[in-house]
């Protein structure tokens, strides 16, 4: 039985230590440790990459579509606005200690 911590860092540490312990003890067997919360911990472990990748693709798609209809300088100003909004959200999230999780990912993608 694995105790599930309440914090993201605690879940990462528990997942990593449990997997390391099994890796030491498996003695050449094809064994994989599984716990229900590991599914979410694996996703949360790479959430930063997912957020920045998605935001970059979304901004590129929006700015690329706007280039078809607007002047380049106008599109650059809109790009600065997008960066300012997302940067401001990251700053507020940092000030309020909001963890980067799926809820934050959705809010950032919508903005």
């Amino acid at each position: 039985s694995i105790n599930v911590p309440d914090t993201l860092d605690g879940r990462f540490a528990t997942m990593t230590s449990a997997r390391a312990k099994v890796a030491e003890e498996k003695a050449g067997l094809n064994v994989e440790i599984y716990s229900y919360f590991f599914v979410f911990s694996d996703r949360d472990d790479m959430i930063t990459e997912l957020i920045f990748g998605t935001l970059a693709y979304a901004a590129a798609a929006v700015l690329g579509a706007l280039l078809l209809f607007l002047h380049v300088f106008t599109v650059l100003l809109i790009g600065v606005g997008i960066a300012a909004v997302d940067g401001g959200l990251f700053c507020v999230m940092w000030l309020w200690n909001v963890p980067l999780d799926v809820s934050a990912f959705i809010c950032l993608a919508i903005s």
Side-chain angles (χ1 to χ4, degrees):
S1 163
I2 297 175
N3 257 347
V4 180
D6 292 334
T7 64
L8 287 176
D9 292 335
R11 286 191 294 207
F12 297 147
T14 302
M15 177 182 68
T16 305
S17 67
R19 285 183 174 166
K21 185 174 182 179
V22 167
E24 291 173 2
E25 302 290 330
K26 68 182 183 178
L29 297 174
N30 189 13
V31 177
E32 193 68 39
I33 186 171
Y34 174 80
S35 177
Y36 177 71
F37 84 93
F38 284 179
V39 175
F40 304 108
S41 295
D42 281 334
R43 179 204 56 215
D44 291 341
D45 191 28
M46 49 189 261
I47 196 76
T48 306
E49 299 164 20
L50 292 172
I51 286 175
F52 288 113
T54 302
L55 291 179
Y57 284 127
V62 167
L63 296 176
L66 289 175
L67 276 172
L68 298 174
F69 303 105
L70 300 174
H71 191 267
V72 175
F73 185 72
T74 306
V75 174
L76 287 175
L77 286 176
I78 293 171
V80 169
I82 291 172
V85 168
D86 286 341
L89 283 173
F90 276 115
C91 289
V92 169
M93 288 170 57
W94 176 73
L95 286 173
W96 290 350
N97 292 323
V98 175
L100 287 177
D101 58 2
V102 175
S103 301
F105 175 62
I106 292 169
C107 291
L108 287 166
I110 289 173
S111 71

